[in-house]
Amino acid sequence: MWSPPNPADGVRGCGVSWDFLQKRTDLHQEKGVSSGSGNTSPSKPGMKFNLECFGLPNIGNSCYLNATVQSLMTLEPFMMSMSSQENLWRDNTEAGLLRHLHALREARYSTDMDQRVRLVVSLKALIASKALEYTGFQQKDAHEFLTVLLEQIQSLRPTMQSFASSLGTIYSCPVQNLIFNMDWTRTCQRCGTGSSQTQIFNSLSLTLHRGATTQELLEDNLKATELQFKCICGSEISHQQTSFSTLPNVLILRLKRIRYSPSYELEKVSDAVHLNRDIVVTSRDDAGCFSLVGITSHIGSSPHYGHYIFDGRDMSDSPHEPDGWLSYNDDHVERCTGSQVCRSRQSIAYMLFYQRVVCN
């Protein structure tokens, strides 16, 4: 029996059949996302791709996995770091996760659907071998799965670093591109005495406010809040401030779309958020400009079921298509634009992927 998620957790997603995907055509048209034609365009030098080969098969309630894998394959800093170290993980028996992710990306240039099925099945089994909650085919939350996947990749670091050292080189974990530090500071409102601690994150969760922009939600999350804390001076009121101490190459923002209703029942929050294409993030010693490159969305009105899709920047994007994006719905892939996606996903966007760029 599947139990409801904690409000601090996310929304669950289930897989759907091809018949259901076909029925979603009207929804895509209504939301302004264009249909894919299966045309080819340049990707790797001298190679062509077909959109039909970019999708991932749903092996049973696995849309959360498919959307997560597609999101990682859209993040340039992550994929470049992984690909550039192929000589370290290619023959290393401990590095199965890295090999599977690389193989799934390479499978985009093959028409062998059976190969993609095998890769998805074996990737899920590999993750489930260390996270037993993924053994079956239950509905799962995409953010929870992303966290587990990144943690398992990070757990390879000691082994990979030792192996790299034996070869006279170094290993850099691809997840480092997503890591940032945050300072939590508490200050007594009366005497000014305080304390602080630093924590490591690979994503940041934001409380929703209807009609707000991504930038506003982020800034609101960093505002000082009142905290009940008894200080040595006798005051019981302090202020708590959250701030970035370092910035990542890719900033993942999770929108909190689950909350308790007035009757203490879990409900899905469908408040629309204006999705900024570009945001500015300030840290203790730095400021960075970030550009939106991907969105994982949860379709469904309930926190207990639904469907995940991912929209991401087309990494083969040519100069005459600067806003070219792809929409991934399991094994169905469509061409779209970032502008269309930002308009159509305002009420269902769940995770936002912002890549650091040079500030103008």
Side-chain angles (χ1 to χ4, degrees), residues 11-44:
V11 286
R12 304 280 164 166
C14 65
V16 292
S17 65
W18 174 253
D19 289 338
F20 182 81
L21 296 181
Q22 290 291 87
K23 293 176 183 177
R24 297 201 56 79
T25 302
D26 292 340
L27 173 65
H28 282 284
Q29 292 176 343
E30 175 185 328
K31 291 183 176 297
V33 180
S34 61
S35 298
S37 61
N39 294 334
T40 58
S41 63
S43 181
K44 289 184 175 181

Side-chain angles (χ1 to χ4, degrees), residues 14 127 228 304 321:
C14 65
I127 294 168
Q228 293 290 327
H304 305 295
E321 293 180 309

Side-chain angles (χ1 to χ4, degrees), residues 80-92 99 102 106 160 163:
M80 289 180 65
S81 174
M82 189 179 75
S83 299
S84 66
Q85 302 179 92
E86 182 175 355
N87 63 311
L88 297 179
W89 51 255
R90 183 177 57 242
D91 301 316
N92 191 309
R99 286 197 298 276
H102 179 77
E106 292 300 298
M160 298 301 295
F163 181 65

Side-chain angles (χ1 to χ4, degrees), residues 156-176:
L156 299 173
R157 183 166 57 179
T159 298
M160 298 301 295
Q161 287 179 333
S162 176
F163 181 65
S165 178
S166 69
L167 298 178
T169 184
I170 59 174
Y171 170 76
S172 177
C173 180
V175 180
Q176 283 302 118

Side-chain angles (χ1 to χ4, degrees), residues 28-328:
H28 282 284
Q29 292 176 343
E30 175 185 328
K31 291 183 176 297
V33 180
S34 61
S35 298
S37 61
N39 294 334
T40 58
S41 63
S43 181
K44 289 184 175 181
M47 298 189 73
K48 300 285 184 178
F49 73 77
N50 189 304
L51 288 186
E52 294 179 0
C53 301
F54 268 47
L56 296 177
N58 193 310
I59 59 173
N61 290 341
S62 65
C63 59
Y64 68 90
L65 182 151
N66 292 342
T68 299
V69 170
Q70 297 289 13
S71 70
L72 289 181
M73 291 197 292
T74 300
L75 304 181
E76 279 185 301
F78 179 90
M79 293 306 300
M80 289 180 65
S81 174
M82 189 179 75
S83 299
S84 66
Q85 302 179 92
E86 182 175 355
N87 63 311
L88 297 179
W89 51 255
R90 183 177 57 242
D91 301 316
N92 191 309
T93 57
E94 301 293 325
L97 277 179
L98 299 178
R99 286 197 298 276
H100 275 75
L101 289 174
H102 179 77
L104 279 168
R105 196 180 197 197
E106 292 300 298
R108 290 181 166 188
Y109 309 104
S110 168
T111 57
D112 186 353
M113 177 57 76
D114 289 340
Q115 178 193 25
R116 284 190 285 281
V117 172
R118 290 192 298 270
L119 286 171
V120 172
V121 169
S122 57
L123 174 65
K124 182 175 178 294
L126 187 60
I127 294 168
S129 67
K130 295 183 179 179
L132 297 182
E133 63 270 30
Y134 295 100
T135 301
F137 295 92
Q138 298 87 358
Q139 305 175 85
K140 296 296 181 181
D141 174 65
H143 180 258
E144 292 175 0
F145 179 74
L146 174 62
T147 301
V148 169
L149 178 56
L150 295 180
E151 287 176 349
Q152 290 195 9
I153 294 175
Q154 283 182 286
S155 71
L156 299 173
R157 183 166 57 179
T159 298
M160 298 301 295
Q161 287 179 333
S162 176
F163 181 65
S165 178
S166 69
L167 298 178
T169 184
I170 59 174
Y171 170 76
S172 177
C173 180
V175 180
Q176 283 302 118
N177 290 283
L178 318 178
I179 297 296
F180 56 94
N181 295 336
M182 297 205 75
D183 292 332
W184 301 75
T185 305
R186 178 189 54 79
T187 307
C188 176
Q189 196 170 353
R190 178 190 294 176
C191 69
T193 300
S195 63
S196 63
Q197 61 176 326
T198 300
Q199 293 183 320
I200 300 173
F201 292 85
N202 55 35
S203 67
L204 184 64
S205 297
L206 305 179
T207 301
L208 288 172
H209 300 294
R210 182 176 298 173
T213 66
T214 309
Q215 184 78 55
E216 290 169 343
L217 293 180
L218 179 59
E219 292 172 357
D220 185 68
N221 187 81
L222 301 177
K223 287 181 180 177
T225 58
E226 195 171 271
L227 176 70
Q228 293 290 327
F229 183 87
K230 189 168 184 177
C231 180
I232 56 175
C233 73
S235 172
E236 296 186 354
I237 302 297
S238 292
H239 281 156
Q240 181 173 278
Q241 180 80 51
T242 307
S243 60
F244 286 88
S245 54
T246 63
L247 297 177
N249 290 325
V250 177
L251 177 62
I252 302 175
L253 301 178
R254 167 182 167 261
L255 304 182
K256 295 181 180 179
R257 291 206 173 273
I258 295 296
R259 69 184 177 195
Y260 277 117
S261 69
S263 58
Y264 297 99
E265 294 182 356
L266 290 176
E267 63 181 7
K268 169 84 178 286
V269 181
S270 298
D271 291 349
V273 175
H274 177 75
L275 304 175
N276 293 115
R277 298 295 297 276
D278 300 289
I279 60 174
V280 176
V281 186
T282 303
S283 70
R284 183 196 304 155
D285 304 312
D286 193 13
C289 299
F290 291 79
S291 181
L292 185 66
V293 297
I295 302 172
T296 296
S297 299
H298 179 265
I299 301 173
S301 59
S302 169
H304 305 295
Y305 56 83
H307 181 59
Y308 286 105
I309 61 174
F310 175 75
D311 303 289
R313 191 176 67 184
D314 182 359
M315 304 309 291
S316 64
D317 183 8
S318 57
H320 62 276
E321 293 180 309
D323 198 27
W325 279 43
L326 296 174
S327 181
Y328 303 89

